[in-house]
Amino acid sequence: MATAAKHREITQEEKESAEAEIVEQSKRIEFYMTEYSVEILAQKVQDGEFIVPPYQREFTWEQDRKSRFIESVLMGLPIPFLFFWEMPDGKLEIVDGSQRLRTLEEFVLGDLKLSELQALPKISGFRFSDLPDSRQRKIKNRSIRGIVLNEHADEQARFDMFERINTGSKAANTAEVRRGALAGPFMSMVIELAEAPELVELAPVSAAQIKEREREELVTRFFAYGDGLDGYKDRPSEFIFGYTKKMNESFEKDPALADAYKARFFETLSFVKSVFPFGFRKAKSGKATPRSRFEAIAIGSYMALQSAPQIVMQPPDVEHWLNETDFAKITGSDGANAVSRLKRRMEYVRDRLLGK
């Protein structure tokens, strides 16, 4: 009869360390509650009092989804909280809820025509002005609650909130958020390299992943992890956000860095193409690029080239270990973002390339 695994006792030092971490993270989140009527919300959107951050501007609901949301409002269904950040000038940046707010403004103050509705089919095709005056007033009077982060909440705190609120939804992902929230010379280079024919050939991704800017994610990870994992705490999105912000500043101070980083990128891709038969794919006909496999091969290759540039002249044979169980295990998804696993898969490829 199998016995249950013995539970490891958490030490007092570990408990105190965990509590300190919670306190430190909590300091970044200070907020207050607010409540606005639909009429005021719509007017504030129209007047530019609510600021839509760049990473949310291109994400617009389709007509049917807008109509379903207005139908929910008309039926009196609960509306999720809005989240804002109080900017230094007193305006509110929308952390989450821009689609709802823009839809309300378009319906109440614009010319949104409702498409086919399911629960309220008799008002399909209506505009706000087509509703009875009494119903218009009731809609305008309805209130929606919001949470406002105060001006001391940093970019990372807002990013974390947006990401956590939208987990599992079709909202902007981390690569998309970084693109808008951290515009700068490093980010511009990442966007440029993500479209490089060499990467497109070696790292195929699906059409859906292209829309989600998966190659930008791969490029950013290549540089972030390749520059070292100091400060990495098993939370890749937070680590890469901080790295991108720091690199934007570095590139602004020294524009020549862009050429050096591009050279690193293309030299590594050239090496991968000459050594790995399928690039970052698992098979010749593969149409996907697993992130952990990309990290192992790309950064492991870069590290090997740093240690022994001469291996370019005599490319090592990789086929004898590339399909081994060991490599499959270390590039698997289980605990893929833990720093120990991340280091192990990069160092595994580096060491095998160096003949260790």
Side-chain angles (χ1 to χ4, degrees):
M1 180 176 175
T3 57
K6 186 177 179 180
H7 177 68
R8 184 180 73 84
E9 289 293 329
I10 303 297
T11 66
Q12 184 61 32
E13 182 180 358
E14 288 175 315
K15 292 179 182 179
E16 291 174 357
S17 178
E19 177 62 20
E21 183 179 55
I22 293 171
V23 170
E24 181 60 31
Q25 291 296 318
S26 298
K27 288 179 181 177
R28 299 163 56 222
I29 309 296
E30 296 179 23
F31 64 90
Y32 62 86
M33 304 292 293
T34 189
E35 190 166 354
Y36 294 111
S37 68
V38 166
E39 182 177 24
I40 291 176
L41 288 171
Q43 193 63 54
K44 281 182 172 291
V45 172
Q46 188 173 82
D47 293 345
E49 290 294 312
F50 293 150
I51 305 301
V52 181
Y55 59 84
Q56 297 191 49
R57 285 175 192 155
E58 63 183 281
F59 296 93
T60 305
W61 281 350
E62 65 278 6
Q63 187 75 6
D64 287 345
R65 191 167 181 184
K66 291 178 182 178
S67 297
R68 285 198 300 273
F69 172 67
I70 295 299
E71 183 180 41
S72 297
V73 173
L74 290 168
M75 293 172 64
L77 294 174
I79 304 301
F81 275 67
L82 301 166
F83 288 83
F84 303 99
W85 171 60
E86 189 172 52
M87 303 170 70
D89 65 2
K91 292 184 178 182
L92 299 180
E93 176 184 287
I94 305 169
V95 177
D96 185 70
S98 67
Q99 302 297 343
R100 281 168 274 155
L101 287 170
R102 283 185 277 179
T103 299
L104 285 173
E105 188 270 336
E106 188 180 350
F107 183 62
V108 175
L109 300 178
D111 196 41
L112 175 62
K113 181 180 179 180
L114 299 177
S115 57
E116 194 69 30
L117 302 180
Q118 295 181 359
L120 301 173
K122 291 184 179 180
I123 62 169
S124 298
F126 274 48
R127 291 180 173 83
F128 183 76
S129 58
D130 297 322
L131 296 169
D133 291 345
S134 59
R135 179 53 57 187
Q136 291 183 32
R137 293 190 194 97
K138 290 176 181 177
I139 293 173
K140 288 181 177 180
N141 290 338
R142 181 169 180 190
S143 62
I144 299 177
R145 289 186 174 184
I147 293 176
V148 182
L149 294 171
N150 71 18
E151 61 181 297
H152 302 298
D154 59 17
E155 289 173 315
Q156 184 65 51
R158 282 129 60 197
F159 172 83
D160 286 346
M161 178 171 286
F162 180 84
E163 183 185 27
R164 289 173 185 276
I165 291 169
N166 289 289
T167 297
S169 75
K170 290 186 177 181
N173 61 26
T174 53
E176 294 163 336
V177 173
R178 282 198 301 271
R179 173 189 260 253
L182 296 176
F186 174 75
M187 193 68 241
S188 295
M189 184 194 70
V190 168
I191 293 170
E192 176 190 339
L193 295 181
E195 300 297 325
E198 296 89 335
L199 181 65
V200 172
E201 176 189 354
L202 295 171
V205 297
S206 67
Q209 287 180 313
I210 290 174
K211 291 181 179 179
E212 294 170 356
R213 311 194 191 284
E214 175 65 11
R215 288 200 184 96
E216 289 178 24
E217 180 73 21
L218 298 179
V219 173
T220 311
R221 288 183 179 222
F222 168 72
F223 290 125
Y225 297 165
D227 277 347
L229 296 172
D230 293 342
Y232 184 91
K233 299 177 181 178
D234 300 347
R235 295 190 292 268
S237 63
E238 182 175 320
F239 177 77
I240 297 172
F241 188 98
Y243 173 83
T244 301
K245 182 178 180 180
K246 178 185 70 176
M247 293 306 293
N248 273 334
E249 295 169 355
S250 298
F251 273 44
E252 286 174 355
K253 292 178 182 177
D254 183 5
L257 279 175
D259 291 334
Y261 273 70
K262 287 180 183 178
R264 177 205 297 192
F265 180 76
F266 287 114
E267 286 168 5
T268 302
L269 289 190
S270 177
F271 178 78
V272 169
K273 184 175 181 178
S274 67
V275 172
F276 293 86
F278 311 131
F280 300 108
R281 300 183 295 269
K282 288 184 177 181
K284 185 176 182 179
S285 59
K287 300 184 185 301
T289 301
R291 285 182 182 176
S292 56
R293 187 180 181 89
F294 175 86
E295 293 161 357
I297 294 176
I299 304 164
S301 294
Y302 167 68
M303 294 166 68
L305 289 168
Q306 290 292 101
S307 298
Q310 67 273 16
I311 63 174
V312 173
M313 306 305 294
Q314 291 183 314
D317 175 29
V318 302
E319 293 195 55
H320 66 287
W321 57 262
L322 196 56
N323 296 312
E324 286 180 352
T325 303
D326 283 350
F327 185 64
K329 284 183 178 179
I330 65 170
T331 55
S333 59
D334 183 30
N337 292 320
V339 67
S340 58
R341 290 288 302 272
L342 181 55
K343 287 181 177 178
R344 186 183 174 201
R345 59 177 171 267
M346 296 187 304
E347 292 171 355
Y348 180 92
V349 172
R350 177 199 63 188
D351 292 346
R352 296 307 294 259
L353 289 172
L354 296 177
K356 296 180 182 180

